[in-house]
Amino acid sequence: MPKNQFQRMVFAFLTVLVTVHGYVFYSLYVVNGDTLMQITGADSVLHAIAAQGGVYMFGRMLPIWAVVIIEFCCAYILECVMGSPISFKMACRMFDPRRNHPMIFETVIICCTVLVMCPAMSFLAAWMYYPYYAGFHLSTLLANWIKLVCFNFPFAFFSQIFFIQPFVRWAFGKIFAKDIAARNSQETPERPQDEQEAIADIFRRMDEIQESLAHERRQRKKLAEQMTKNASVK
């Protein structure tokens, strides 16, 4: 995980770079691919986009590379300004990063990021891809926003959990390998490295808590016996 502002910017850059390309593919091929081919009569989505002169955005046809750049800029600004700070605060309210296993805490951050970014980016997309040729109506905009959230949320959640974030963390680890190695060597408490170690760590904590409670009970028992003995002497 990033530890300073520069690393956070790089981490957000990698995340948005992969995510935007995934969303453009998902939107054009999975959600609207069949519709585009039916309208244009093309035999592939790329041919359909070329036949209609690009991708519809802001009331005009734009090339795919322009759509990717626009969505990347919007998503990167939102991620740095809103998504990353808010998701971290939300995760800290539910889990303590100093006590919980890093894998658990990072998974919670991913879920909170999807919870924040998916509605925000879907709202921007509702403006970008609104059918302005049919006139503008606020109710249509809100309906399109809700529809986009319903389409995007499952894809965002599962892709971030199982593909995008593992890949981004792997790439981030390769880029900052020396810094991460130096940071880990300075950490005195050894953290669990996998699920089995995490479970073993939980059981160790439970044993420590039980031993602490047992010690406290013995101390109370001794104190009660001492008080009873002093009262009988008097």
Side-chain angles (χ1 to χ4, degrees):
M1 290 294 291
K3 292 297 183 180
N4 53 54
Q5 185 61 32
F6 174 73
Q7 291 185 2
R8 283 191 287 269
M9 298 289 285
V10 174
F11 191 87
F13 178 86
L14 295 174
T15 300
V16 174
L17 183 66
V18 179
T19 302
V20 166
H21 283 83
Y23 268 95
V24 171
F25 172 83
Y26 174 73
S27 176
L28 294 179
Y29 279 80
V30 179
V31 178
N32 299 308
D34 292 338
T35 303
L36 291 173
M37 289 188 292
Q38 290 176 2
I39 293 176
T40 59
D43 57 353
S44 69
V45 177
L46 287 178
H47 291 164
I49 294 174
Q52 68 177 9
V55 179
Y56 180 83
M57 176 182 272
F58 295 120
R60 63 184 64 185
M61 293 297 178
L62 299 178
I64 296 181
W65 61 265
V67 173
V68 171
I69 292 177
I70 293 173
E71 291 204 9
F72 174 84
C73 294
C74 294
Y76 186 69
I77 293 173
L78 279 178
E79 174 67 17
C80 294
V81 175
M82 184 181 68
S84 181
I86 294 179
S87 61
F88 183 77
K89 292 180 181 178
M90 292 173 63
C92 289
R93 290 182 179 179
M94 294 179 281
F95 292 90
D96 187 351
R98 296 168 299 181
R99 296 179 179 270
N100 296 108
H101 189 270
M103 182 179 64
I104 298 176
F105 188 70
E106 291 172 7
T107 303
V108 175
I109 291 180
I110 295 173
C111 296
C112 293
T113 302
V114 173
L115 186 64
V116 173
M117 290 295 293
C118 180
M121 283 301 299
S122 296
F123 183 73
L124 291 181
W127 288 91
M128 294 176 184
Y129 301 106
Y130 186 89
Y132 293 101
Y133 53 82
F136 179 81
H137 300 281
L138 183 60
S139 59
T140 304
L141 175 69
L142 297 177
N144 290 341
W145 177 34
I146 296 174
K147 182 181 72 174
L148 288 174
V149 171
C150 294
F151 275 125
N152 295 335
F153 190 86
F155 174 77
F157 179 79
F158 290 107
S159 64
Q160 291 290 337
I161 289 288
F162 296 107
F163 170 68
I164 295 177
Q165 286 303 317
F167 173 77
V168 170
R169 278 163 169 73
W170 174 83
F172 183 85
K174 293 296 182 181
I175 295 174
F176 296 98
K178 294 183 179 179
D179 181 74
I180 294 175
R183 184 197 312 161
N184 292 336
S185 64
Q186 295 175 358
E187 292 181 354
T188 52
E190 185 177 354
R191 294 180 175 178
Q193 299 298 319
D194 54 27
E195 184 178 359
Q196 293 181 350
E197 291 188 10
I199 295 174
D201 183 65
I202 291 174
F203 280 105
R204 283 195 298 268
R205 294 183 185 180
M206 292 174 61
D207 293 338
E208 291 175 358
I209 294 173
Q210 291 178 357
E211 180 62 28
S212 177
L213 293 175
H215 178 72
E216 185 178 353
R217 286 195 296 268
R218 289 193 296 267
Q219 293 294 329
R220 289 181 179 178
K221 184 178 180 179
K222 290 181 180 180
L223 180 61
E225 292 176 351
Q226 185 66 33
M227 293 177 63
T228 303
K229 183 177 179 181
N230 294 339
S232 63
V233 171
K234 293 181 179 179

